[in-house]
């Protein structure tokens, strides 16, 4: 679902440009495995039109040991050594996002939406909103905000309609593409 959902996304196209479809599928296993261990993973239905995966702020950073414990690291190994070594370069690409998130959410407890995607044939039909509403309901129930990053301006408007606000736009090193950090605060 996620490999299909992000096939036209400029960020993921650039990041995984040398990967074949099987490597892309395996790549997207990693955040799902991580969230299954340390957070939550939701699907829109048993038909899996879309998937969202998030973790509490204590697990927002996917450390080496957490990746091993969750089985995420084995996903990278399944991609093959060339792709796995390229995946290691992602640390320098994602570092500004991690720094920005830590700065914006410093000292706060929150839910971190690691990934959300809807299969291409179901995009634009409300499945993404359905997944986000489940996360929003959970964050409101426990009284904490949500943080996420998005790679496309089109998605910003969808998130804004659901109460998210842009913190920052960051141009990522190496791939020279933007990402926006966003948060949904609790309504008072």
């Amino acid at each position: 679902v996620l490999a299909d959902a992000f096939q036209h996304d400029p960020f993921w196209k650039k990041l995984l440009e040398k990967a074949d479809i099987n490597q892309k599928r395996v790549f997207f296993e990693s955040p799902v495995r991580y969230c299954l261990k340390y957070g939550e993973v939701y699907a829109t239905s048993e038909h899996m039109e879309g998937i969202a995966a998030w973790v509490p702020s204590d697990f927002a950073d996917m450390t080496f040991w957490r990746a091993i414990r969750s089985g995420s690291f084995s996903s990278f190994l399944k991609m093959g050594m060339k792709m796995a070594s390229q995946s290691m370069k992602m640390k320098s690409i994602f570092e500004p996002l991690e720094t920005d998130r830590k700065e914006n959410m410093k000292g706060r407890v929150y839910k971190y939406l690691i990934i959300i995607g809807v299969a291409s044939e179901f995009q634009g039909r409300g499945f993404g909103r359905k997944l986000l509403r489940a996360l929003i309901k959970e964050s409101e129930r426990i009284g904490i905000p949500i943080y996420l990053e998005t790679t496309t301006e089109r998605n910003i408007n969808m998130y804004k309609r659901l109460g998210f606000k842009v913190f920052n736009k960051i141009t990522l090193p190496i791939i020279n593409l933007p990402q926006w950090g966003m948060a949904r605060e609790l309504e008072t």
Side-chain angles (χ1 to χ4, degrees), residues 3 6 8-9 11 16 18 26 29 60 62 67 87 97 99 127-128 131 135 158 183:
F6 293 109
H8 300 296
D9 182 283
F11 175 79
L16 299 172
K18 295 179 182 170
V26 169
E29 277 181 24
M62 189 187 295
S87 298
L97 293 174
T99 301
F127 290 106
L131 291 165
L135 175 56
M158 175 189 66

Side-chain angles (χ1 to χ4, degrees), residues 5-156:
F6 293 109
Q7 67 181 318
H8 300 296
D9 182 283
F11 175 79
W12 293 106
K13 270 179 82 167
K14 181 78 171 175
L15 204 61
L16 299 172
E17 66 187 343
K18 295 179 182 170
D20 64 34
I21 188 63
N22 289 327
Q23 290 169 322
K24 289 175 185 176
R25 286 180 183 139
V26 169
F27 175 83
F28 286 110
E29 277 181 24
S30 182
V32 172
R33 285 177 180 268
Y34 186 78
C35 291
L36 282 170
K37 172 76 174 169
Y38 297 110
E40 298 177 61
V41 177
Y42 280 68
T44 49
S45 75
E46 70 265 4
H47 303 293
M48 304 267 294
E49 299 91 351
I51 297 173
W54 57 81
V55 292
S57 52
D58 292 354
F59 294 97
D61 296 324
M62 189 187 295
T63 66
F64 177 74
W65 291 111
R66 288 177 182 167
I68 288 176
R69 282 187 216 111
S70 67
S72 298
F73 192 75
S74 67
S75 296
F76 287 117
L77 295 177
K78 284 190 236 173
M79 291 175 61
M81 287 311 291
K82 186 174 182 182
M83 284 305 300
S85 66
Q86 184 176 343
S87 298
M88 297 308 191
K89 293 178 187 175
M90 290 182 202
K91 178 76 175 147
S92 59
I93 294 170
F94 286 110
E95 214 166 304
L97 293 174
E98 292 173 12
T99 301
D100 190 61
R101 176 179 34 81
K102 288 175 183 176
E103 175 77 22
N104 289 318
M105 302 306 282
K106 188 174 188 169
R108 300 171 69 196
V109 174
Y110 58 94
K111 291 283 186 179
Y112 178 44
L113 179 61
I114 289 183
I115 196 160
I116 182 171
V118 175
S120 57
E121 68 181 289
F122 298 108
Q123 290 177 3
R125 297 188 192 175
F127 290 106
R129 281 187 303 281
K130 181 178 181 179
L131 291 165
L132 284 167
R133 284 192 182 114
L135 175 56
I136 290 167
K137 184 177 178 180
E138 172 68 9
S139 82
E140 288 175 346
R141 184 185 68 76
I142 60 176
I144 62 173
I146 303 166
Y147 190 86
L148 61 83
E149 293 104 10
T150 188
T151 61
T152 60
E153 289 187 67
R154 183 186 80 209
N155 290 343
I156 291 172

